[in-house]
Amino acid sequence: MPAKIAPSILSADFGHLDRDFQMINQSQADWFHVDVMDGVFVPNISFGFPVLKSLQKVATKHLDVHLMIVDPDRYIADFAQAGAQTLTVHYEACTHLHRSLQAIKAHGMKAGIALNPHTPVDVLSDIIADADLVCLMSVNPGFGGQKFIERTYDKIKALKALIERENAHALIEIDGGVTLENAAALHQAGADVLVAGNTVFGSANPVETIAELKRRTQ
Ligand code: DX5
Ligand code: ZN
C-alpha cells in the first residue's frame, strides 16, 4: 500500500491560507494535517476553530487533526463540528485515554493517539485495538522544521509488531522531520501516513514535492 501524504498546514503561509488549501486540494496529497497547540501542552500556540472551519468549507480531502492540548475531552464535540475526521489526542495529555477514544468515535470521527518521542510504544498494549491511528512524534511537538529523531525507526517496528500481535487495525503516522530523503525508509519500516510541513511548504514547488513524496513511497 502506498503511503498517505499529509501536508501540515502549520507550515502554510497564514496570509494566503486559501491559496495553500487549494494547492493541497489540487495536489496528490491524501490528507490535510492540522496541528492545534494550546501553549500549555507544548511551548507554542498555533490556531483553533476559526481556521479549521475555514478549511472545512473548502477541503476536498480528509481532515486529520492533531491536538497538542491538555484535557482534550473538553473540545471533542467542537472539533467534530468543525470538520475533523480523524482526531488525535496525546497519550501524555489523557488520564482516561480509553474514554477519550470512545468519545471521539461516538462523535463520528476516527480516533488517534499521539506519542511523544520519549514515550515507549509498549504503553499502548491495552488500548491499541481501540485506536484507528497512532501518531509517532519524530520530533518534540510544538514546531515545524525540526530535525528527525532517528530512534523513530525502532518505534515504528515495535508498533507494527504490537498492532500485528493484537490483531489491531491502527494506521501508523509519522509526524516531524519527514523529508524526501527519509520518506521511503519510513514507509518501508511500516509507516502508513507521512506528515510533512517544512518539506512541502519550504520547497520551491510544493505540488511537485508532494508528488515526489508520493512517488518515493509507492
Ligand atoms: C509538530 C507538528 C507537526 C509539524 C511537522 O509539533 O505536530 O505536524 O507541523 O512539521 P515538519 O514536517 O516541518 O517537521
Ligand atoms: Zn502534527
Side-chain angles (χ1 to χ4, degrees):
M1 269 268 270
K4 293 186 196 305
I5 305 300
S8 167
I9 64 162
L10 184 66
S11 295
D13 180 346
F14 289 5
H16 298 93
L17 270 183
D18 188 57
R19 182 199 65 193
D20 286 356
F21 291 165
Q22 295 301 349
M23 180 279 290
I24 296 176
N25 275 341
Q26 282 151 25
S27 75
Q28 289 180 45
D30 298 275
W31 290 1
F32 284 87
H33 185 80
V34 181
D35 288 308
V36 177
M37 306 177 183
D38 67 355
V40 179
F41 182 71
V42 288
N44 195 11
I45 298 174
S46 57
F47 48 74
F49 298 114
V51 170
L52 184 55
K53 283 183 179 164
S54 309
L55 176 56
Q56 178 189 26
K57 282 190 204 137
V58 299
T60 57
K61 298 182 177 180
H62 188 90
L63 298 189
D64 172 38
V65 178
H66 175 195
L67 299 186
M68 285 157 274
I69 67 174
V70 297
D71 201 4
D73 294 13
R74 285 180 298 169
Y75 296 109
I76 288 171
D78 297 303
F79 278 106
Q81 246 223 314
Q85 290 168 290
T86 294
L87 192 65
T88 296
V89 294
H90 265 263
Y91 168 85
E92 301 85 1
C94 295
T95 310
H96 301 287
L97 182 57
H98 183 270
R99 183 183 290 151
S100 304
L101 297 190
Q102 302 314 317
I104 292 169
K105 292 190 215 175
H107 283 87
M109 298 176 285
K110 300 276 188 198
I113 306 170
L115 292 187
N116 279 335
H118 73 275
T119 304
V121 159
D122 299 353
V123 299
L124 299 179
S125 59
D126 290 306
I127 191 83
I128 190 70
D130 296 281
D132 296 307
L133 175 142
V134 175
C135 173
L136 294 178
M137 291 308 304
S138 37
V139 298
N140 285 294
F143 303 93
Q146 301 181 80
K147 191 176 174 308
F148 180 84
I149 297 172
E150 295 291 327
R151 174 84 191 178
T152 308
Y153 288 106
D154 291 341
K155 292 182 77 174
I156 298 174
K157 286 177 199 143
L159 178 56
K160 189 128 190 96
L162 175 64
I163 289 169
E164 277 164 18
R165 193 177 82 219
E166 296 294 325
N167 219 356
H169 66 277
L171 295 176
I172 300 176
E173 177 176 71
I174 304 303
D175 189 5
V178 171
T179 63
L180 288 173
E181 286 68 42
N182 62 20
L186 288 166
H187 181 235
Q188 229 159 21
D192 302 298
V193 186
L194 298 179
V195 175
N198 186 56
T199 290
V200 168
F201 288 99
S203 72
N205 187 340
V207 169
E208 177 48 38
T209 302
I210 292 167
E212 186 59 30
L213 283 167
K214 207 67 206 168
R215 269 195 291 278
R216 293 188 186 198
T217 54
Q218 289 305 307

